[in-house]
Amino acid sequence: MHKIREKPQEWAYCGSPYGDIYDVIIPAPPSGPVRLDIIKNYRAFFMNGDFDPDQPLANRLIEYVHGGGTLIINTRQLGKFFPDSFLGVRLTGKTLPVAKDIFSASGENLFSLQRPYEFDQIELISGKAILKDSLGNIMASTHNYGAGRVILTTPCMLIHQAAPAGIAQHAPWPEFPFINWILDNLVQDLVPVAFDRKDMQFGLNILKDGWLLYLFNNEGVHKTAT
């Protein structure tokens, strides 16, 4: 007998301010690093999860950015094949705690962290800081390279630290404000439509002659496939 979960973690229908606007691509399939002609189909590449690029894939991502693409990558995903001249920064080798309040480069208070984070300290070379904590530590930088840009994030894997053993997490559904901030800005730059309703699910596909926009009016109810 199967027990039905009261709060399933996988949704077939889910309202989101970002919509279904992405594809999931395995960067290093068994056949070898993902091909450059596939990478070039996308205006932005958001690297996710544990990732250590080899030399061929790093070279393809560098060429992708030089040709006009946007690469969003974390300091923990850099490996050893991306030069400082590509990133616009150098790593100091230090990992430090993130201060609670996060600011834009212009000084606007964007959000406060409810859980502890750590970040990898960087020094700017030719890049620019676009996100800082209240102590002035760089949380994200941007660097123009060729016709494209690299957005480098420094909070470790963009997720909070785990609670110590024996201590319960104080929120059952944690937020990830750094990821939300990145997606908010990407959607504004890349998506040609906007929605102010949170009770609908939408998605976009690029066609040869335009865009395909689809809408699901599920009245904001999260539903599984069944």
Side-chain angles (χ1 to χ4, degrees):
M1 181 176 181
H2 296 286
K3 182 179 180 180
I4 298 176
R5 290 178 294 176
E6 294 182 359
K7 293 183 178 181
Q9 296 182 5
E10 297 179 4
W11 308 105
Y13 300 98
C14 179
S16 166
Y18 314 120
D20 302 325
I21 58 172
Y22 61 89
D23 291 327
V24 176
I25 296 177
I26 305 299
S31 59
V34 59
R35 302 195 314 271
L36 184 60
D37 64 312
I38 293 177
I39 298 175
K40 286 183 175 180
N41 286 325
Y42 298 89
R43 296 177 61 187
F45 244 59
F46 190 166
M47 308 310 299
N48 188 25
D50 190 9
F51 176 69
D52 185 9
D54 58 13
Q55 183 76 71
L57 180 55
N59 289 344
R60 291 177 189 182
L61 291 173
I62 290 171
E63 186 174 348
Y64 161 74
V65 173
H66 191 272
T70 295
L71 175 66
I72 305 98
I73 193 167
N74 187 255
T75 49
R76 295 299 172 98
Q77 301 168 322
L78 292 178
K80 57 183 179 181
F81 298 113
F82 291 115
D84 294 348
S85 59
F86 172 68
L87 302 172
V89 307
R90 67 169 59 92
L91 275 70
T92 68
K94 296 181 180 180
T95 299
L96 303 169
V98 179
K100 182 177 181 180
D101 294 318
I102 307 300
F103 295 82
S104 68
S106 63
E108 179 187 1
N109 193 337
L110 298 176
F111 55 85
S112 295
L113 302 176
Q114 303 303 314
R115 300 188 179 206
Y117 282 74
E118 289 185 336
F119 76 101
D120 295 321
Q121 188 182 56
I122 60 174
E123 295 177 348
L124 297 176
I125 302 175
S126 50
K128 296 181 180 180
I130 53 176
L131 202 65
K132 295 183 177 182
D133 69 4
S134 55
L135 298 179
N137 299 308
I138 300 172
M139 300 292 102
S141 66
T142 183
H143 181 234
N144 294 331
Y145 185 82
R149 60 176 174 163
V150 181
I151 298 174
L152 178 66
T153 59
T154 65
C156 301
M157 302 300 287
L158 298 178
I159 59 176
H160 56 77
Q161 293 176 267
I167 299 179
Q169 300 280 4
H170 58 271
W173 296 94
E175 293 286 337
F176 299 99
F178 288 110
I179 297 176
N180 290 344
W181 176 81
I182 291 172
L183 292 177
D184 285 340
N185 285 275
L186 277 181
V187 168
Q188 292 179 19
D189 288 345
L190 302 179
V191 178
V193 296
F195 289 88
D196 57 5
R197 290 183 58 173
K198 297 181 179 181
D199 59 349
M200 293 188 70
Q201 179 177 356
F202 75 95
L204 287 166
N205 279 318
I206 299 177
L207 306 178
K208 292 181 178 180
D209 57 350
W211 293 81
L212 171 64
L213 167 66
Y214 56 88
L215 303 171
F216 294 131
N217 184 5
N218 60 356
E219 297 182 343
V221 178
H222 291 186
K223 304 176 183 180
T224 61
T226 55

